[in-house]
Amino acid sequence: MKPLNMTERGTLSHDASILLAATTEDKRNQALQAIASALRSQQDFIIEANQKDLEMAKANKLDTPLLKRLRFDTNKIEDVIAGIESLIHLPDPIGLTQMATELDKGLELYRVTCPIGVIGVIFESRPDAFVQIATLCLKSGNAVLLKGGHESRCTNRTLFKVIQGATQRIDLPKNWIQNLETREDVNDMLAQNETIDLIVPRGSNAFVKYIMDHTTIPVMGHADGLCHVYIDQDADLKKAVALSVDSKAQYVSVCNAAETLLVHRAIAADFLPALKSAMERAHVTLRGDAKVQNYISVYPATEADWETEYLDYTLSVKIVDSLNEAIRHINRYGSGHTDAIVTENGDAAKRFTTLVDSAGVYVNASTRFADGYRYGFGAEVGISTGKLHARGPVGLEGLVSYKYKLIGHGQIVADYANGQAQFTHRSLQKKCPL
């Protein structure tokens, strides 16, 4: 049988999305439970496929942090199952009445949430992301085309078969989920503006920009995670060390790990030696500017370090003279992902969270909290660093749009234009009846 081209696949996804949008919450939750059960019962086949990917990645000398992300073992499978079960218990994002207005007696306008439609997601070599994205799209009633990294091809292919098979048994439309495998698939997908409603690319700034430059489909960009932690002059130093280590070293190869640490000069002499000892225990290499080198022995930092997302056990450190300098540095070099301040000064915290232009601005908390699961979203499709529609971790709310439903009884505009009828524009406290 001849393989389908991307135009045909886009049409199938579009048709499936219309049917999926009409399903009940119970139906979608049954499908999610079926996926969870299938992942557990077929985990041996999934792990076997993942071993093939791991062996190929090792042969190609893939970096250790990336190998860690690629591994999909029993523990990770149980983690994604727990995420699915959490997702089942979240409220249905579809059909919520956001606004109800009486335009005139017997003429009522409602704004009601609905799925976006067809979403194309291009993401890194993380099999757990394949499951998380697919199930979030299912819960929110969206069809999805998934393109994972080539390193995880065998695992993703197996996960696709498991997920599609499980949902077909619940009688969901077969083509609500599709698995893309090649770079050509991505380029072809970018041309499907008549059938695909949203593209979500996860990767570097250059990659996201490439996607934006080569499609007319709306793009929700998840770019670099160049996150900062600023240690204020009024910080609790013990707290500052712990938060710095967690932000950097708890899991280095993720977009919400800190890459640059900014330290107020007033506390540098006390803080930096303690920081170095703690980072050495966490196997983190420090790169510091000339001022940092006056206090501790580190590798010299260059201008390029302030622009680098290491995704590894490396952290750049810079001494700043003020809170304002820290804010300027973050807004210049940061990616708009997540940035944190450690301080006991409420005014400093307020200024930082007001002026730092990022999706997540934290006070005395690790940047590693920037995650859909930790936010209670049941996982995430990605983290948007843009400012339109959705920002930060994109969970169920970021995967719905809305439509206006107007319910009348034969009213015509001519009567309002000639003055025979008048608008009341009265707010209603009721759900849409349709």
Side-chain angles (χ1 to χ4, degrees):
M1 183 176 179
K2 184 180 178 182
L4 298 175
N5 61 40
M6 192 54 65
T7 299
E8 293 167 329
R9 297 181 76 173
T11 299
L12 290 172
S13 291
H14 174 73
D15 292 346
S17 73
I18 295 172
L19 297 175
L20 189 61
T23 56
T24 64
E25 179 187 13
D26 285 345
K27 187 78 162 179
R28 282 175 276 119
N29 283 340
Q30 286 175 28
L32 289 170
Q33 189 59 64
I35 292 171
S37 299
L39 289 171
R40 184 170 282 128
S41 65
Q42 299 184 56
Q43 64 175 302
D44 290 345
F45 300 106
I46 297 168
I47 293 171
E48 181 181 349
N50 186 244
Q51 284 299 318
K52 294 178 182 177
D53 286 329
L54 287 169
E55 289 168 9
M56 183 66 70
K58 289 174 183 176
N60 291 330
K61 296 180 168 42
L62 193 70
D63 291 341
T64 300
L66 297 180
L67 280 173
K68 187 175 181 181
R69 299 177 85 167
L70 177 59
R71 185 177 299 280
F72 200 54
D73 55 18
T74 301
N75 289 335
K76 285 193 175 182
I77 291 173
E78 286 300 322
D79 284 344
V80 297
I81 290 172
I84 295 170
E85 291 171 345
S86 173
L87 191 59
I88 290 170
H89 291 98
L90 290 179
D92 188 4
I94 302 174
L96 301 177
T97 300
Q98 297 181 328
M99 182 199 77
T101 302
E102 179 194 83
L103 303 188
D104 192 4
K105 187 173 178 61
L107 184 63
E108 297 177 349
L109 178 67
Y110 299 89
R111 188 171 72 201
V112 182
T113 59
C114 63
I116 290 173
V118 180
I119 301 175
V121 187
I122 311 158
F123 58 101
E124 65 279 32
S125 297
R126 276 183 50 203
D128 52 338
F130 190 102
V131 180
Q132 291 166 353
I133 295 167
T135 52
L136 278 169
C137 287
L138 173 55
K139 176 78 174 188
S140 56
N142 292 288
V144 62
L145 297 102
L146 292 157
K147 170 59 176 72
H150 68 275
E151 294 90 353
S152 58
R153 180 174 296 180
C154 291
T155 314
N156 290 346
R157 189 179 294 171
T158 302
L159 288 171
F160 166 70
K161 291 177 180 177
V162 170
I163 291 171
Q164 188 184 58
T167 56
Q168 277 188 271
R169 288 190 288 274
I170 306 299
D171 200 28
L172 287 191
K174 175 183 178 181
N175 294 297
W176 78 269
I177 181 172
Q178 296 199 47
N179 180 43
L180 310 183
E181 295 192 348
T182 69
R183 189 170 296 175
E184 290 72 24
D185 286 341
V186 173
N187 288 326
D188 291 344
M189 179 172 66
L190 299 182
Q192 305 307 313
N193 61 313
E194 293 186 2
T195 55
I196 298 176
D197 299 289
L198 178 68
I199 300 288
V200 182
R202 295 168 38 144
S204 68
N205 282 323
F207 171 68
V208 174
K209 187 175 187 304
Y210 173 86
I211 297 297
M212 290 178 171
D213 289 345
H214 289 81
T215 187
T216 59
I217 302 169
V219 176
M220 187 186 293
H222 171 202
D224 287 348
L226 218 166
C227 303
H228 298 75
V229 177
Y230 165 58
I231 311 303
D232 187 50
Q233 62 180 333
D234 293 319
D236 177 310
L237 297 191
K238 183 177 180 182
K239 189 183 296 181
V241 170
L243 288 171
S244 299
V245 172
D246 190 81
S247 293
K248 174 71 250 184
Q250 196 274 330
Y251 195 171
V252 297
S253 59
V254 286
C255 62
N256 58 13
E259 304 292 13
T260 297
L261 190 70
L262 304 174
V263 181
H264 195 288
R265 62 178 174 81
I267 50 89
D270 293 326
F271 174 73
L272 288 174
L275 173 76
K276 183 181 180 184
S277 296
M279 288 296 180
E280 285 177 346
R281 290 192 295 272
H283 310 292
V284 174
T285 299
L286 300 180
R287 304 180 67 86
D289 67 1
K291 292 179 181 178
V292 170
Q293 295 171 49
N294 290 330
Y295 296 99
I296 55 175
S297 175
V298 294
Y299 289 97
T302 66
E303 180 75 10
D305 285 297
W306 315 133
E307 301 173 339
T308 299
E309 183 185 23
Y310 300 109
L311 297 175
D312 206 345
Y313 288 92
T314 302
L315 178 69
S316 58
V317 185
K318 180 181 177 66
I319 290 178
V320 294
D321 292 331
S322 66
L323 168 62
N324 287 339
E325 184 183 350
I327 293 170
R328 286 195 299 271
H329 180 99
I330 293 169
N331 286 340
R332 176 181 176 184
Y333 294 103
S335 60
H337 191 299
T338 303
D339 300 287
I341 181 174
V342 183
T343 187
E344 302 301 311
N345 185 318
D347 290 337
K350 183 176 181 179
R351 186 169 182 81
F352 182 91
T353 57
T354 301
L355 296 181
V356 169
D357 189 18
S358 297
V361 283
Y362 294 179
V363 178
N364 296 329
S366 168
T367 59
R368 288 282 290 119
F369 281 106
D371 176 83
Y373 178 74
R374 297 186 180 104
Y375 278 14
F377 295 169
E380 66 197 30
V381 167
I383 295 182
S384 174
T385 52
K387 299 183 181 181
L388 298 180
H389 176 64
R391 196 178 190 193
V394 180
L396 293 176
E397 289 186 3
L399 294 178
V400 295
S401 182
Y402 54 78
K403 61 177 66 174
Y404 288 96
K405 296 186 177 184
L406 183 61
I407 303 171
H409 292 82
Q411 291 89 343
I412 58 174
V413 169
D415 289 343
Y416 296 88
N418 62 27
Q420 291 185 39
Q422 286 78 40
F423 291 112
T424 59
H425 289 153
R426 183 171 65 90
S427 179
L428 301 174
Q429 302 300 316
K430 60 188 292 189
K431 292 182 179 180
C432 180
L434 301 178

